[in-house]
Amino acid sequence: MDETTHKSSLMQKYIKIFLVVALYWVVSISMVFLNKSILGDAHGGANDAPLFVTWFQCLVTVAICFFLSRAATLLPGVVKFPQVGILDAGVVKKVLPLSIMFVCMITFNNLCLKYVGVAFYYVGRSLSTVFNVLFSFIILGQSTPLPAILSCAVIIGGFMLGVDQEGQAGSLSIAGVIFGVLASASVSLNSIYTKKALPAVDGSIWQLSYYNNVLASIIFLPVILLSGELPAIILIVTNSAAAYWMLLFSTGICGFAIGYVTGLQIQVTSPLTHTISGTAKACAQTVLATTWYNEYKPTLWWLSNAIVLLGSMAYTRVMQLAMKTEHAKQRVIDESASEPLQKNPSIL
């Protein structure tokens, strides 16, 4: 390969990475803003039915998975998607714990977004990393390097400063903060349960998404009935205009798309780059939200966001170095184990 061809190949690779990362940012930020639009604020009135909204989004994901599965059957050379349909009882049993946690995660995410502004949403849900360290130790028995624990302490400090600044500005929602903390915990647990459930569907993310959303749609029904949202749902169904349903359907499409673009970003970059991209996206989302909603934030409020951002990036860097060290140790062990075989092939 000559130098010109090599440069052209690198340029195409970088352009592809840029477009994928940009797509992830657009879909992810759009999803947050659309969800905020459909959920309204803490005083949403008659259309106050966040659980119904979340349930509907699950149904949209199921419908899209089913449609793509049938399209893959009819157009095998054009559409690639695993076959989905009747649920297998054995798989359901293994995926059910994840689905319960999934319901908690998306419910708390939407409730947090309902009670807080988009600008504070990042800080409100910033404890996911902290809970990830905690639950990885409690459930998986994985230890965390001290520098990473110190990074988590920085994140907690930024979170507390952000809550304090929201309180001083008179815009603090205690319910929003509580739901944000619960959402952070649920996100961490959801990741752990996802790893446990993937083998049940032979590692297929789309199969898992289908099972997850079907089960979540069923689990949501009694939760919605017990929540007292039924009168609000009746008003939504009978009084809402077509524009409302189009917006609601759009949030469901974004919910499905975020799963695809997340996997795509990890595929063309790396899990570490995905984490950095997500952190930077959240920062850009905060700036965009304050501009869009014409919100004034004091210096200490911005400082809280910066502290959370720096703590998250420090944690990511520490864990990256720890993984490199672990891989290097494993390589030495593997090479040491192979030396006797190389010196004395007859033992094979």
Side-chain angles (χ1 to χ4, degrees):
M1 181 184 294
D2 58 43
E3 186 175 351
T4 303
T5 305
H6 178 65
K7 287 182 178 180
S8 177
S9 178
L10 280 178
M11 182 61 66
Q12 291 178 359
K13 179 182 177 181
Y14 292 147
I15 290 175
K16 180 180 180 180
I17 291 174
F18 171 79
L19 291 176
V20 169
V21 171
L23 179 63
Y24 169 79
W25 280 42
V26 170
V27 172
S28 183
I29 292 176
S30 297
M31 182 178 178
V32 172
F33 277 86
L34 284 172
N35 272 339
K36 184 61 179 177
S37 297
I38 203 72
L39 290 167
D41 54 32
H43 307 286
N47 293 350
D48 191 9
L51 294 179
F52 168 76
V53 169
T54 311
W55 172 78
F56 187 87
Q57 291 168 346
C58 289
L59 285 187
V60 172
T61 297
V62 171
I64 294 175
C65 287
F66 193 82
F67 172 78
L68 290 177
S69 176
R70 295 300 170 267
T73 302
L74 297 174
L75 304 169
V78 180
V79 181
K80 292 183 179 180
F81 200 86
Q83 292 300 305
V84 299
I86 299 175
L87 303 184
D88 180 88
V91 176
V92 167
K93 185 178 179 180
K94 294 178 180 178
V95 175
L96 185 58
L98 169 64
S99 299
I100 294 172
M101 186 51 57
F102 178 73
V103 167
C104 293
M105 181 188 72
I106 56 179
T107 298
F108 291 141
N109 271 337
N110 280 354
L111 286 172
C112 174
L113 190 57
K114 181 176 181 60
Y115 284 92
V116 305
V118 175
F120 185 66
Y121 184 59
Y122 170 53
V123 172
R125 289 182 59 256
S126 61
L127 298 183
S128 296
T129 300
V130 178
F131 281 113
N132 189 53
V133 170
L134 180 63
F135 291 138
S136 293
F137 176 75
I138 294 174
I139 298 175
L140 303 177
Q142 296 177 350
S143 60
T144 303
L146 180 59
I149 295 176
L150 295 176
S151 299
C152 290
V154 172
I155 295 173
I156 293 173
F159 170 79
M160 294 177 65
L161 179 60
V163 171
D164 175 71
Q165 289 301 299
E166 284 286 302
Q168 292 193 26
S171 55
L172 178 66
S173 167
I174 299 299
V177 172
I178 292 173
F179 285 130
V181 173
L182 291 173
S184 298
S186 300
V187 167
S188 300
L189 287 171
N190 187 74
S191 299
I192 293 173
Y193 280 105
T194 296
K195 291 179 182 179
K196 289 186 174 183
L198 269 172
V201 290
D202 299 323
S204 172
I205 291 293
W206 292 124
Q207 282 277 9
L208 185 61
S209 178
Y210 177 74
Y211 271 84
N212 212 4
N213 281 276
V214 169
L215 293 175
S217 301
I218 298 170
I219 295 170
F220 263 120
L221 292 177
V223 176
I224 290 173
L225 290 175
L226 293 173
S227 69
E229 286 189 3
L230 198 56
I233 294 172
I234 293 173
L235 287 175
I236 291 174
V237 172
T238 56
N239 296 340
S240 295
Y244 175 87
W245 290 104
M246 289 180 63
L247 183 61
L248 183 56
F249 188 72
S250 298
T251 64
I253 293 176
C254 282
F256 173 83
I258 193 66
Y260 173 74
V261 296
T262 296
L264 187 61
Q265 180 170 247
I266 293 173
Q267 183 181 40
V268 301
T269 57
S270 68
L272 174 64
T273 304
H274 168 67
T275 302
I276 295 173
S277 174
T279 304
K281 184 274 304 181
C283 183
Q285 177 180 288
T286 299
V287 175
L288 184 61
T290 55
T291 304
W292 181 264
Y293 295 111
N294 196 26
E295 298 177 350
Y296 168 77
K297 299 295 182 182
T299 303
L300 286 179
W301 188 93
W302 287 107
L303 180 61
S304 71
N305 280 263
I307 291 173
V308 169
L309 179 64
L310 290 174
S312 301
M313 293 182 68
Y315 173 85
T316 303
R317 179 58 177 168
V318 168
M319 296 307 294
Q320 178 198 26
L321 294 175
M323 288 175 62
K324 283 185 176 180
T325 302
E326 188 64 29
H327 289 161
K329 289 181 180 178
Q330 188 61 45
R331 192 180 304 115
V332 171
I333 293 173
D334 293 341
E335 290 175 354
S336 299
S338 65
E339 283 181 3
L341 298 180
Q342 294 172 355
K343 292 177 180 179
N344 189 12
S346 62
I347 65 176
L348 295 174

